[in-house]
Amino acid sequence: MMHSKFEVVKLDIGQGERWFLFNDNDQPVTIANRYIHENYKDSLNTQERVAYSLRLLFEYLDYLYINVRFMTYEIFMEYRQWLASDKMYRGDDVERKKNNLKKSTIALRERDARQFLMNFIKPLYGLSFDIPRMRIPAQDDPKSKAVEIDDWAQLMNVASGRNKLIYQFLYESGVRIGELFNIDYKEFYDVPRAGDEEFFCFHVYVSYNKDQRKQPKSEGRPVWIRTLLAEKVSRYIRTMRYENSNKHHEIFTAERPAKNKNGTTVPGDPLSYMAIYKAMKKDAKLAGLNPKIISPHKGRHSFATNLLLEGASETEVKTQMGHKSVATISIYSRGLTLKVGMAAVDGARNIGVRLDEIDSTSTFY
């Protein structure tokens, strides 16, 4: 019996571009494409990633002559072991090399396959198997570790005024970079004096659109930071933010013209993730740090780790970070010796105070 060779293709079928999974007879894999287009219709990048993940899964099942509707826990565990191995599988006309996959890529392929099986195949065919969430350990991967406060302070010291404030904000608040871009600058117009109140509360949204501007603040996730940091942000908005930025809601905006795939960015336009990502990598080299361990999301990861080390409970950290499940906090607590009994806001204050103490130039403008 011949084995199928699956391919991932991007097509425009009159409803905009979409990613599809095809077999070697140019026949679409209907069940996979239905799942991809129903669940990831708003993101071409995610469609592409999931399509490649399911291509591996379907080729493995085809090699075993197993239909996906007969999936079991044992078969998935064998598939997982195969993903982590350096073996290739061969059929009559199929030879797929997938060795040397990075641990992070393996984790993504496994997660995508699990979600497809548990959220789509299992209810569709009334199957009874259960696949628990699994994480591939990455203790030896420098990207999986938190960045020490001393190192983050070095990063801040070589950064420009705006980027320095962004780096401090990410490390001291734990917000996602996308959430930082979505904060309305007007939230920081009425910041109390640090001597009057120690903490300041603002709201973040995972996504932002025109309708959310009309929604009450209670629908956003509240985040607490030191009022000292909020004052720095307020001063930046009033003194350094470009006048033509007022047509945008973002706090941090471009300072110089730049070309990108959407055209030319002028001063006052919103910042992109890649602009901060590239600046952070460049500053990491200037600071003598390993660029591989520095990224915008690493500020959030380090913040959560430091909160746990300060003694905040996993429930408190979950609330501060905006996670849906306490189980996610295990990413940050793995291998740590933790103290007990300190609230998350107190831990956040201590992180900021230590960052200021290390960074002798932390006063902003």
Side-chain angles (χ1 to χ4, degrees):
M1 182 181 292
M2 303 285 282
H3 292 279
S4 295
K5 183 178 179 181
F6 294 81
E7 296 294 344
V8 176
V9 182
K10 183 165 69 170
L11 298 173
D12 189 339
I13 57 173
Q15 299 175 338
E17 291 185 328
R18 292 182 179 181
W19 285 93
F20 291 84
L21 184 63
F22 283 84
N23 62 22
D24 52 0
N25 296 321
D26 292 330
Q27 296 297 315
V29 184
T30 306
I31 196 167
N33 295 327
R34 175 183 163 191
Y35 169 76
I36 293 169
H37 300 150
E38 286 182 1
N39 291 276
Y40 306 104
K41 59 184 178 181
D42 296 327
S43 174
L44 274 179
N45 289 337
T46 306
Q47 283 186 23
E48 180 183 17
R49 190 201 76 220
V50 175
Y52 275 104
S53 296
L54 296 187
R55 189 201 76 179
L56 278 174
L57 176 65
F58 274 86
E59 286 189 343
Y60 181 77
L61 293 176
D62 182 75
Y63 176 69
L64 297 177
Y65 304 115
I66 294 176
N67 190 292
V68 69
R69 70 175 66 189
F70 301 114
M71 173 61 69
T72 65
Y73 170 78
E74 289 75 19
I75 294 174
F76 184 82
M77 293 304 294
E78 291 174 3
Y79 171 69
R80 182 172 179 263
Q81 290 176 358
W82 172 78
L83 272 182
S85 72
D86 290 334
K87 297 178 182 178
M88 70 174 81
Y89 57 94
R90 303 170 188 270
D92 297 328
D93 61 345
V94 177
E95 182 175 320
R96 285 284 192 207
K97 242 180 155 179
K98 55 98 207 128
N99 52 330
N100 299 323
L101 289 179
K102 294 180 180 179
K103 289 183 178 179
S104 58
T105 304
I106 292 173
L108 277 175
R109 300 295 182 236
E110 179 188 309
R111 186 190 68 183
D112 291 338
R114 179 191 174 276
Q115 289 180 344
F116 168 67
L117 296 170
M118 291 294 295
N119 300 335
F120 190 73
I121 295 299
K122 182 179 177 179
L124 182 64
Y125 295 113
L127 304 180
S128 59
F129 67 85
D130 187 35
I131 303 173
R133 289 186 179 181
M134 305 167 194
R135 297 193 181 277
I136 297 177
Q139 288 90 342
D140 299 329
D141 186 355
K143 296 180 183 178
S144 68
K145 298 178 181 177
V147 179
E148 298 289 341
I149 291 181
D150 295 35
D151 292 338
W152 202 267
Q154 283 182 251
L155 183 72
M156 290 170 52
N157 276 331
V158 301
S160 67
R162 182 204 64 192
N163 289 353
K164 178 177 181 177
L165 184 55
I166 290 175
Y167 299 168
Q168 182 172 3
F169 199 96
L170 291 172
Y171 197 90
E172 196 174 326
S173 68
V175 299
R176 302 173 178 90
I177 186 69
E179 292 174 337
L180 174 62
F181 289 160
N182 292 333
I183 300 171
D184 195 322
Y185 73 93
K186 294 178 183 178
E187 289 228 35
F188 285 82
Y189 258 12
D190 300 319
V191 176
R193 292 174 57 87
D196 298 332
E197 295 184 28
E198 188 174 8
F199 296 106
F200 175 78
C201 181
F202 63 97
H203 294 78
V204 296
Y205 300 87
V206 175
S207 60
Y208 197 96
N209 54 51
K210 293 180 180 179
D211 293 334
Q212 278 182 324
R213 294 188 184 187
K214 302 174 184 178
Q215 294 175 350
K217 288 183 179 180
S218 59
E219 295 204 13
R221 174 168 67 87
V223 177
W224 294 87
I225 59 173
R226 292 183 306 151
T227 306
L228 281 171
L229 177 58
E231 284 182 333
K232 291 182 183 182
V233 176
S234 182
R235 284 200 298 274
Y236 168 82
I237 292 171
R238 295 177 184 278
T239 61
M240 299 302 298
R241 200 170 179 271
Y242 283 84
E243 292 182 3
N244 67 326
S245 299
N246 291 333
K247 61 183 179 181
H248 305 294
H249 71 271
E250 294 87 350
I251 294 175
F252 300 103
T253 55
E255 295 179 338
R256 59 181 64 89
K259 291 185 178 180
N260 55 46
K261 63 181 181 180
N262 297 321
T264 301
T265 299
V266 300
D269 280 355
L271 282 174
S272 68
Y273 171 83
M274 287 307 299
I276 297 302
Y277 180 87
K278 291 178 179 179
M280 193 171 277
K281 296 292 183 181
K282 181 180 178 181
D283 290 338
K285 290 181 179 179
L286 291 175
L289 303 173
N290 180 2
K292 291 183 178 181
I293 70 170
I294 302 295
S295 69
H297 193 74
K298 189 50 68 72
R300 175 176 169 82
H301 183 113
S302 304
F303 173 77
T305 301
N306 286 327
L307 279 188
L308 291 167
L309 289 172
E310 286 292 330
S313 70
E314 291 188 346
T315 302
E316 291 170 337
V317 176
K318 177 188 80 71
T319 302
Q320 179 77 356
M321 299 290 289
H323 287 303
K324 293 182 179 180
S325 171
V326 175
T328 310
I329 306 304
S330 63
I331 300 172
Y332 313 114
S333 61
R334 187 187 312 149
L336 299 180
T337 302
L338 305 178
K339 296 186 291 186
V340 180
M342 183 174 291
V345 289
D346 292 328
R349 174 193 57 208
N350 292 348
I351 294 167
V353 169
R354 294 211 310 276
L355 197 59
D356 280 348
E357 289 173 349
I358 297 168
D359 176 28
S360 59
T361 61
S362 63
T363 53
F364 185 75
Y365 294 111

